[in-house]
């Protein structure tokens, strides 16, 4: 079966997803440890989680659009993009779960 | 009515997982014959995830504080500080993947190219895993409320 190139929009969405997913997990940690940041996020929409969601969705769409226009990662293969999805999801998930597990079950308060 | 909103959130989330599983099963035997069904299933996955997000998000922002107080006063405070906190942030990964899924399927030669099809399958697998995690963490959070109300352990 012939190997076809991956569509640029697909490449852009996947790269954008991985960057945004990691950003979201890091933002979660930073806002949890930084009360002024959390308060600022709350002030924008009445709840920090609403603001977080808006940041994430907007960043995701903007990056996808930008990467598509700039043809970022145009030579990435399907196998490489599979790895991006797998490791990006695992990494952002581990950052999140690891942080809260440490904060709740391991950290001495 | 308030609790019905929460029920809708869970119901729609389960719908999203079912639609994702449907997508995955169709992707296992991709051909021109089921390509249209794959596109429909992926679209339903995205719609269900967004609907669950909006209903759940509204309930969370407006009504969850009362449940949170009950959880924190009970024997399972981690049902909020770990379970709910992870759930409300991990969800975004599933939401983003579900959002891009129908676009990627529409733009990808999944019938002709095995590796591209596998790439899409990985996305769907992770959507399913995040959806199942949401159900699990949501259940733990709900049990935290139950423990808080009944004084159980």
């Amino acid at each position: 079966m012939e190997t076809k190139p991956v569509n640029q929009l697909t490449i852009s969405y996947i790269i954008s997803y991985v960057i945004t997913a990691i950003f979201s997990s890091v933002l979660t940690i930073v806002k949890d440890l930084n009360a002024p940041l959390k308060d600022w996020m709350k002030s924008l929409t009445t709840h920090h989680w609403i603001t977080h969601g808006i940041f994430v969705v907007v960043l995701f769409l903007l990056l996808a659009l930008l990467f598509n226009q700039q043809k970022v990662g145009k030579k990435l293969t399907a196998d490489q993009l599979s790895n991006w999805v797998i490791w990006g999801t695992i990494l952002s998930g581990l950052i999140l779960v690891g942080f809260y597990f440490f904060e709740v079950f391991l950290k001495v308060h | 009515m308030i609790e019905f909103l929460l029920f809708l959130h869970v119901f729609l989330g389960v719908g999203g997982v079912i639609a994702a599983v449907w997508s995955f099963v169709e992707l296992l035997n991709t051909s021109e014959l089921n390509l249209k069904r794959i596109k429909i299933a992926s679209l339903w996955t995205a719609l269900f995830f967004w609907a669950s997000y909006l209903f759940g998000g509204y309930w969370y922002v407006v009504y969850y504080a009362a449940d949170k107080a009950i959880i924190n006063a009970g024997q399972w405070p981690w049902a909020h500080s770990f379970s709910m906190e992870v759930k409300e942030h991990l969800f975004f990964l599933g939401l983003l993947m579900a959002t891009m899924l129908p676009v990627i399927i529409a733009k990808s030669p999944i019938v002709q190219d095995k590796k591209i099809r596998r790439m899409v399958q990985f996305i769907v697998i992770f959507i399913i895993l995040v959806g199942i995690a949401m159900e699990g963490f949501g259940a733990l959070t709900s049990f935290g409320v139950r423990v808080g109300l009944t004084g159980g352990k």
Side-chain angles (χ1 to χ4, degrees):
Chain A
M1 198 172 277
E2 63 177 299
T3 301
K4 292 189 175 290
V6 184
N7 175 267
Q8 179 61 47
L9 188 59
T10 296
I11 295 171
S12 303
Y13 263 117
I14 290 176
I15 298 175
S16 173
Y17 158 70
V18 172
I19 293 172
T20 306
I22 294 172
F23 165 79
S24 178
S25 293
V26 172
L27 177 63
T28 300
I29 295 173
V30 174
K31 76 177 179 181
D32 221 68
L33 298 176
N34 189 317
L37 173 63
K38 201 169 192 175
D39 289 341
W40 173 73
M41 290 176 68
K42 182 180 174 182
S43 73
L44 293 179
T45 60
T46 75
H47 200 293
H48 67 89
W49 184 75
I50 297 176
T51 306
H52 191 128
I54 292 172
F55 281 178
V56 162
V57 172
V58 169
L59 179 68
F60 172 65
L61 294 174
L62 281 181
L63 284 180
L65 184 66
L66 177 68
F67 294 158
N68 191 45
Q69 285 178 338
Q70 300 297 318
K71 301 198 186 318
V72 171
K74 64 182 175 185
K75 291 185 179 173
L76 286 172
T77 65
D79 282 346
Q80 288 172 322
L81 289 164
S82 291
N83 285 329
W84 272 74
V85 170
I86 293 167
W87 293 111
T89 304
I90 289 173
L91 178 63
S92 41
L94 281 178
I95 290 172
L96 202 56
V97 174
F99 168 70
Y100 280 114
F101 188 83
F102 174 78
E103 283 285 308
V104 174
F105 299 112
L106 299 179
K107 186 175 172 181
V108 177
H109 293 275
Chain B
M1 186 58 191
I2 294 172
E3 300 310 318
F4 186 72
L5 281 177
L6 189 57
F7 163 77
L8 268 183
H9 161 68
V10 177
F11 177 78
L12 293 165
V14 170
V17 173
I18 290 174
V21 171
W22 175 21
S23 301
F24 185 75
V25 171
E26 296 280 7
L27 282 165
L28 289 175
N29 292 289
T30 310
S31 74
E32 292 296 336
L33 294 174
N34 70 343
L35 187 57
K36 188 177 177 184
R37 276 205 306 275
I38 294 172
K39 291 178 179 177
I40 291 171
S42 69
L43 198 52
W44 275 113
T45 302
L47 290 172
F48 273 123
F49 262 73
W50 271 94
S52 182
Y53 172 46
L54 293 172
F55 276 103
Y58 177 80
W59 185 89
Y60 171 70
V61 167
V62 178
Y63 299 112
Y64 177 66
D67 279 14
K68 179 181 171 182
I70 293 170
I71 293 170
N72 283 338
Q75 297 291 315
W76 282 15
W78 55 264
H80 167 71
S81 56
F82 178 74
S83 185
M84 188 61 190
E85 290 285 0
V86 171
K87 179 179 189 287
E88 71 188 62
H89 293 106
L90 188 67
F91 173 75
F92 290 123
L93 273 62
L95 183 69
L96 297 183
M97 286 190 283
T99 301
M100 70 182 183
L101 180 67
V103 177
I104 288 174
I105 285 176
K107 293 288 187 181
S108 297
I110 55 174
V111 174
Q112 298 85 352
D113 194 300
K114 183 180 173 184
K115 292 187 177 184
I116 289 178
R117 189 161 65 246
R118 189 167 60 210
M119 175 191 76
V120 176
Q121 287 169 341
F122 276 123
I123 295 171
V124 178
I125 285 171
F126 277 111
I127 290 172
I128 293 168
L129 289 175
V130 169
I132 291 172
M134 293 301 101
E135 298 299 325
F137 282 123
L140 285 173
T141 306
S142 289
F143 272 109
V145 176
R146 181 187 171 98
V147 167
L149 287 173
T150 62
K153 295 181 182 180

